């Protein structure tokens, strides 16, 4: 009898939890739609730095939600839900258009050589959108920025088994978009597969930096990182390492031959107006 009561109580508890989660998801979706309509979203930019001399080479665009009650909301709190509901299409379109506009302004006001670049994250769902490729083509055609400087960042998981996604990316590359494989090392791709992926930039996931601990861990991390960097360079790809949070990390990566890095050691993501001061 006790077990029957316990089981029945657990079923009621699980059902209540499921209904609560479903209700929270509905509230979040409603809030997101309202936020889009009220222009509560903004694009922040985290500098990507040349390790050779510490100069700013470009920026990664990151969405922020200026919620009227919660303040600034990180994308970790709404991007996954936006993927599930399809709202990522509207959010992604906003990020792409705003970044293209800001990049054109930066290159006009700061005519550096090589020119500044800006990268925008693109999800699997965006790649599958019917008009995605055409919308990027229009941005490239209208944008007053140098070829290859408007970059699309795509995770390994978005293209591992999707040949159509690869075809679209190859077409966009031919149209003048820059392409970066994001979070490299977290998916199923191997070093040998880099040559078959349509990217000129490899962004190495921050988890590789976290693996450095004791003497053996340091040696292992150095062996892995140096192998990735060496092969990427052999294949004429550039390397960016994410999540740099200390001078020790920056020095280590520079010694291994990494060209670029980003992370809180250099700067947190910034509004576009403040970001100009870093150029």
């Amino acid at each position: 009898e006790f077990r029957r009561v316990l089981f029945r109580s657990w079923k009621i508890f699980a059902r209540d939890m499921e209904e609560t989660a479903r209700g929270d998801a509905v509230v979040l979706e409603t809030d997101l739609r309202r936020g889009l309509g009220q222009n509560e979203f903004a694009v922040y930019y985290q500098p990507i730095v040349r390790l050779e001399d510490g100069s700013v080479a470009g920026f990664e665009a990151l969405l922020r939600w200026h919620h009227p009650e919660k303040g600034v909301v990180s994308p970790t709190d709404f991007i996954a839900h936006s993927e599930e509901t399809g709202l990522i299409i509207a959010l992604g379109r906003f990020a792409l258009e705003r970044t293209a506009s800001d990049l054109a302004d930066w290159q006009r006001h700061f005519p550096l050589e090589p020119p500044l670049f800006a990268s925008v994250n693109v999800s699997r769902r965006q790649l599958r959108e019917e008009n995605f490729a055409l919308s990027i083509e229009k941005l490239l055609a209208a944008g007053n920025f140098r070829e290859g400087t408007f970059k699309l960042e795509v995770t390994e998981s978005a293209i591992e088994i999707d040949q159509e996604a690869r075809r679209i990316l190859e077409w966009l590359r031919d149209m003048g978009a820059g392409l970066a494989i994001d979070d490299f090392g977290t998916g199923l791709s191997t070093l040998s597969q880099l040559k078959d992926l349509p990217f000129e930039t490899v962004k190495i996931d921050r988890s590789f930096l976290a693996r450095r601990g004791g003497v053996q861990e340091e040696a292992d991390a150095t062996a892995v990182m140096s192998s990735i960097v060496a092969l990427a360079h052999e294949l004429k790809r550039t390397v960016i390492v994410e999540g740099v949070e200390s001078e020790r990390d920056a020095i280590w990566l520079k010694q291994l031959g990494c060209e670029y890095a980003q992370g809180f050691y250099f700067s947190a993501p910034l509004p576009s107006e403040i970001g100009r001061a870093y150029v």
Side-chain angles (χ1 to χ4, degrees):
E1 179 64 29
F2 172 76
R3 280 186 291 181
R4 282 200 301 270
V5 171
L6 182 62
F7 180 68
R8 188 162 53 248
S9 299
W10 169 251
K11 285 180 66 177
I12 294 172
F13 174 75
R15 187 176 64 247
D16 289 345
M17 289 287 289
E18 183 179 350
E19 290 175 353
T20 298
R22 191 181 302 115
D24 290 344
V26 171
V27 170
L28 178 57
E29 182 174 356
T30 302
D31 220 11
L32 282 167
R33 293 185 183 279
R34 180 198 53 75
L36 276 166
Q38 295 296 321
N39 298 316
E40 292 175 3
F41 290 88
V43 177
Y44 279 41
Y45 297 95
Q46 186 168 41
I48 297 173
V49 173
R50 293 184 185 87
L51 288 170
E52 181 181 13
D53 60 9
S55 63
V56 172
F59 298 89
E60 179 182 355
L62 299 164
L63 277 174
R64 292 292 185 269
W65 183 7
H66 291 274
H67 195 282
E69 297 174 1
K70 301 176 183 178
V72 179
V73 181
S74 167
T76 57
D77 295 326
F78 62 85
I79 288 296
H81 181 77
S82 301
E83 276 271 355
E84 294 175 4
T85 61
L87 283 172
I88 192 66
I89 302 300
L91 287 170
R93 187 182 305 116
F94 166 75
L96 288 161
E97 292 175 353
R98 180 58 55 85
T99 303
S101 175
D102 286 339
L103 178 61
D105 285 344
W106 294 336
Q107 291 190 4
R108 182 170 62 252
H109 293 296
F110 308 103
L112 306 176
E113 194 59 46
L116 290 168
F117 63 82
S119 60
V120 188
N121 293 284
V122 174
S123 71
R124 180 193 293 266
R125 188 148 189 170
Q126 286 174 274
L127 284 175
R128 291 177 174 175
E129 186 201 3
E130 182 179 358
N131 297 318
F132 175 76
L134 289 177
S135 65
I136 297 297
E137 185 182 15
K138 289 179 180 178
L139 286 177
L140 294 172
N144 295 314
F145 40 75
R146 294 270 289 276
E147 181 175 342
T149 58
F150 183 66
K151 298 178 180 290
L152 308 178
E153 291 190 13
V154 185
T155 60
E156 289 180 81
S157 60
I159 59 163
E160 279 165 359
I161 57 174
D162 196 332
Q163 293 301 320
E164 178 64 14
R166 294 195 188 196
R167 186 191 65 79
I168 291 172
L169 288 170
E170 288 169 355
W171 183 65
L172 290 172
R173 178 191 59 193
D174 294 340
M175 291 293 102
L179 297 178
I181 182 168
D182 195 17
D183 298 336
F184 185 82
T186 60
L188 299 177
S189 296
T190 64
L191 290 175
S192 61
Q193 289 177 306
L194 272 179
K195 68 180 187 303
D196 300 319
L197 299 174
F199 300 99
E200 73 271 3
T201 301
V202 178
K203 294 196 75 174
I204 300 176
D205 186 69
R206 66 184 66 241
S207 61
F208 284 91
L209 295 176
R211 296 173 188 176
R212 301 171 66 207
V215 175
Q216 186 58 51
E217 289 85 356
E218 177 83 11
D220 291 344
T222 298
V224 172
M225 184 69 77
S226 60
S227 296
I228 296 175
V229 172
L231 182 57
H233 290 169
E234 183 71 21
L235 297 172
K236 304 296 189 271
R237 270 69 163 176
T238 57
V239 176
I240 300 173
V241 180
E242 301 176 289
V244 176
E245 297 185 355
S246 70
E247 183 180 21
R248 174 173 174 258
D249 287 338
I251 292 173
W252 180 66
L253 293 172
K254 181 180 179 180
Q255 291 172 341
L256 293 179
C258 295
E259 298 100 312
Y260 305 106
Q262 69 181 94
F264 280 81
Y265 171 67
F266 304 108
S267 173
L270 305 166
S272 59
E273 299 80 9
I274 300 177
R276 295 185 182 202
Y278 276 73
V279 178

